[in-house]
Amino acid sequence: MDEYGVVIPAFNASGTIAETLRSVAAQTVRPELVVIVDDGSTDDLAAAIGGTDLPLKLLRQANAGPGSATTRGIAALSTPFIATLDADDLWLPTKIERQLAYLRGSPGTSGVFCHLRTFRNDRPDVPEDATVPGWSRTTMLIRSEVAESVGPVVDPPGGRGEMIDWIARAREAGLAFDMMEEVLALRRIRPGSLSYGRDATRDRGYLEVARLAMLRRARNKAGAG
């Protein structure tokens, strides 16, 4: 069965989430459920998500970070496949169809990602020429049992690096993730977003992720010795 659900963590995303949802609604394979987790927003997210015919579930929590919101959304799904998406990014129409087909043909693969292009805030019609491998929430489609075996998406200090940490833990557990060469998603670059620019406070998350990975490797070596 190709049934899939979508998890969208959202924090003050009322200006972009309607466009994000339109890109989900435009998929050639329709989702069974889209779970939006409002991570303590102070804007009117509920009003922004109205007007779509997608099957939606809105959950709310005190601000805890995108990892926490992603984990909660995944727990609300019972579909065999799970896709995740940031509340300001976009999918191209065949994204899920192409990834589901890939996983059908690769039964040993636990999850698949894709390449993406970036665009500047309100110009998705003018994406940048360069494509990059999207090891990110927006490009990911996984089998549901993967989330159960890897565990929660943990928010490091600063709010950056949670997906890097989660993917690393999955690989350390022996799970196989593949990268499709196709560009199937667009990543929005806008001032104020978690991924925008360099920020010493936010970038502490990357350092913490690297530190935790080193500690896990040291423990594994000690256990094997």
Side-chain angles (χ1 to χ4, degrees):
M1 297 193 336
D2 284 348
E3 294 179 352
Y4 74 99
V6 183
V7 175
I8 305 177
F11 174 71
N12 288 349
S14 61
T16 61
I17 196 167
E19 188 175 19
T20 296
L21 289 172
R22 284 195 292 272
S23 80
V24 176
Q27 291 301 298
T28 52
V29 180
R30 184 177 174 85
E32 288 296 304
L33 182 63
V34 178
V35 180
I36 300 170
V37 183
D38 183 346
D39 187 39
S41 298
T42 57
D43 60 1
D44 193 354
L45 185 69
I49 66 175
T52 177
D53 66 348
L54 286 168
L56 293 181
K57 174 183 282 189
L58 176 61
L59 304 176
R60 291 184 174 90
Q61 66 179 33
N63 182 251
S68 170
T70 301
T71 301
R72 186 171 179 200
I74 288 173
L77 289 173
S78 59
T79 50
F81 296 96
I82 296 170
T84 52
L85 174 60
D86 283 338
D88 53 0
D89 291 345
L90 306 174
W91 286 344
L92 299 185
T94 61
K95 192 257 189 193
I96 295 296
E97 177 185 354
R98 298 290 300 137
Q99 289 186 312
L100 286 171
Y102 187 99
L103 289 178
R104 279 199 305 272
S106 306
T109 300
S110 298
V112 63
F113 296 74
C114 64
H115 277 58
L116 53 73
R117 298 183 191 274
T118 59
F119 67 95
R120 295 288 168 178
N121 202 18
D122 60 348
R123 295 301 306 273
D125 56 321
V126 191
E128 296 179 355
D129 290 335
T131 70
V132 295
W135 295 106
S136 71
R137 183 170 21 246
T138 287
T139 62
M140 183 173 77
L141 179 70
I142 57 173
R143 303 181 194 275
S144 59
E145 60 267 23
V146 173
E148 297 171 6
S149 61
V150 178
V153 183
V154 179
D155 292 288
R160 287 178 175 174
E162 78 282 355
M163 291 305 298
I164 295 173
D165 173 72
W166 189 88
I167 292 168
R169 285 160 44 211
R171 285 176 166 156
E172 289 165 11
L175 300 176
F177 287 157
D178 289 349
M179 173 61 66
M180 297 179 68
E181 295 296 322
E182 296 175 71
V183 176
L184 297 172
L186 301 177
R187 175 171 169 260
R188 186 188 303 267
I189 304 296
R190 63 188 176 99
S193 68
L194 279 177
S195 59
Y196 181 81
R198 310 312 308 166
D199 183 299
T201 299
R202 290 177 174 176
D203 287 351
R204 285 187 303 137
Y206 296 132
L207 297 175
E208 178 66 8
V209 165
R211 185 185 73 84
L212 292 173
M214 291 174 63
L215 287 174
R216 288 195 300 270
R217 283 195 293 270
R219 285 197 298 269
N220 290 338
K221 286 181 179 179

